[in-house]
Amino acid sequence: MDNQEKDNSQHPTDSTHWERSVLEKLAFAALDEQKATRRWGIFFKSLMFAYILVLLGVAVYPKLKLDKNSSGEHTAVINLVGMIAEGKDANAADLIESLRNAVKDEHTKGIIIHANSPGGSPVQSAYVYDEIRKIKKEHPQLPIYAVVSDVCASGCYYIASATDKIFVNPASLIGSIGVLMDGFGFVDAMKNLGVERRLLTAGAHKAMLDPFSPPKEDETAYMKELLGQVHQQFISAVKLGRGNRLKETPDMFSGLVWTGEAGVKNGIADDFSDDDKVARDIIGAEKRVDFTQQEALIDKLAGKLGASFEHALSNVLQTPSLR
């Protein structure tokens, strides 16, 4: 009887101990889970932070060229690729900076401008042309050659004409020494749609060549004269750069393009070659180092936004173009 009472009195204690043990295990398991979650959280946050740092590094700093500071004589290569315009990869500021960096490098034996562009802004092209002429005057012993791959037209040829020699492939397209200004007229379309144009200006020619208004003869004549002035500047630059190598024909400055083979015959190009052969056989420094200025990604993104606005504005103003 006493033993039975004793067993009954101990039972609640054993039950309480078992429950406490289970609760402690659950609590410790929860703590361990929280610690693991916290550790993984710190790991992923650190990983994300490192990823952001890498992105910022890429955005802020230009692409590194590991061989740019290498010793030994080399041929500096500068890429003139794509549309020539402010905010584009082929812009005057970057091209000029690339040229200056190549000239400053004491191991540069010669410079190749790798050209593959349909042209673009006459102003940007003129800036680079003038810089090449300036370098040639200050460093007459340093050769600067243009090597054309697919196309070197209009503004691109404007720049190339300043170099010592222009090398092409027989199938390259080269020339297009002319200026254009293009746009559209929507007057008849508006009439058919029943749309009325309401335009207010201060200044008789403020809306010159407005695509929603009929063209005016005096404004059209004025713009043709303006294009003629830019065209003459282009022609003068080519003649100055190429000199008596040009075999002038009536259509040489008409805006026509020629193959590289025809270009060598009429003097707008000098010979057939490519980057590798020019570096090795003509400059005498087979090793090539890319000096093309790489714009920081963050600046490039900002530039593209600005270029988009500029493109929209140029469509309205119909800016002259060498392309």
Side-chain angles (χ1 to χ4, degrees):
M1 186 72 179
D2 291 339
N3 290 335
Q4 186 176 0
E5 290 178 355
K6 186 176 180 180
D7 291 340
N8 290 337
S9 64
Q10 288 179 348
H11 181 73
T13 303
D14 293 340
S15 176
T16 302
H17 178 73
W18 178 82
E19 292 175 354
R20 185 184 298 116
S21 177
V22 172
L23 289 173
E24 287 177 353
K25 288 180 180 179
L26 290 174
F28 283 123
L31 287 174
D32 290 340
E33 186 176 354
Q34 288 179 358
K35 290 179 181 179
T37 302
R38 190 180 300 111
R39 283 195 296 268
W40 280 110
I42 293 172
F43 172 75
F44 284 116
K45 287 177 181 177
S46 300
L47 190 63
M48 181 60 69
F49 182 70
Y51 179 70
I52 292 173
L53 283 180
V54 171
L55 286 181
L56 286 175
V58 173
V60 174
Y61 295 101
K63 180 181 177 183
L64 297 176
K65 296 181 177 63
L66 299 179
D67 60 347
K68 194 164 185 176
N69 296 320
S70 57
S71 60
E73 287 188 338
H74 57 247
T75 296
V77 178
I78 298 169
N79 291 314
L80 170 54
V81 178
M83 184 67 68
I84 302 169
E86 191 169 7
K88 300 289 187 180
D89 288 339
N91 64 84
D94 285 347
L95 290 169
I96 289 172
E97 186 67 21
S98 302
L99 285 164
R100 290 175 180 174
N101 288 337
V103 173
K104 287 177 185 177
D105 193 312
E106 61 182 8
H107 300 297
T108 297
K109 192 174 181 181
I111 299 174
I112 288 176
I113 297 178
H114 176 83
N116 188 13
S117 167
S121 164
V123 176
Q124 297 284 304
S125 302
Y127 285 156
V128 182
Y129 175 95
D130 291 341
E131 181 65 22
I132 294 173
R133 298 279 301 176
K134 179 173 176 287
I135 291 172
K136 287 174 59 177
K137 183 177 180 180
E138 295 175 351
H139 305 274
Q141 79 289 351
L142 184 66
I144 304 177
Y145 300 125
V147 179
V148 180
S149 56
D150 295 300
V151 60
C152 179
S154 259
C156 181
Y157 186 75
Y158 194 138
I159 293 172
S161 67
T163 64
D164 293 304
K165 287 186 177 181
I166 300 174
F167 296 93
V168 295
N169 181 278
S172 299
L173 294 179
I174 188 169
S176 188
I177 305 172
V179 187
L180 66 82
M181 176 181 289
D182 55 358
F184 298 92
F186 300 98
V187 178
D188 292 337
M190 291 173 62
K191 287 180 180 179
N192 293 332
L193 293 172
V195 178
E196 179 185 359
R197 173 66 162 161
R198 296 175 181 175
L199 177 65
L200 301 176
T201 64
H205 302 291
K206 186 61 180 177
M208 185 166 53
L209 300 183
D210 172 53
F212 302 103
S213 302
K216 299 178 181 178
E217 290 185 6
D218 58 337
E219 292 180 348
T220 300
Y222 176 83
M223 292 309 300
K224 285 183 177 180
E225 182 180 352
L226 184 150
L227 293 176
Q229 293 174 12
V230 178
H231 189 202
Q232 190 56 53
Q233 294 167 8
F234 191 179
I235 293 171
S236 298
V238 171
K239 286 184 175 181
L240 179 63
R242 298 296 297 165
N244 57 13
R245 288 174 290 183
L246 289 175
K247 300 176 178 62
E248 289 191 40
T249 60
D251 58 2
M252 175 160 284
F253 306 119
S254 67
L256 287 177
V257 295
W258 293 271
T259 63
E261 183 177 7
V264 171
K265 291 179 180 178
N266 64 21
I268 64 172
D270 294 286
D271 206 347
F272 306 114
S273 195
D274 55 33
D275 293 349
D276 182 62
K277 293 177 182 177
V278 171
R280 183 184 65 242
D281 302 333
I282 299 176
I283 294 177
E286 185 174 4
K287 179 181 179 182
R288 286 175 285 160
V289 179
D290 188 355
F291 275 81
T292 308
Q293 183 73 15
Q294 295 289 332
E295 188 177 17
L297 178 60
I298 193 168
D299 294 333
K300 186 178 289 188
L301 291 174
K304 286 187 182 299
L305 291 175
S308 297
F309 176 77
E310 178 191 4
H311 179 69
L313 187 62
S314 67
N315 285 340
V316 176
L317 298 180
Q318 296 177 314
T319 308
S321 177
L322 301 182
R323 56 182 174 83

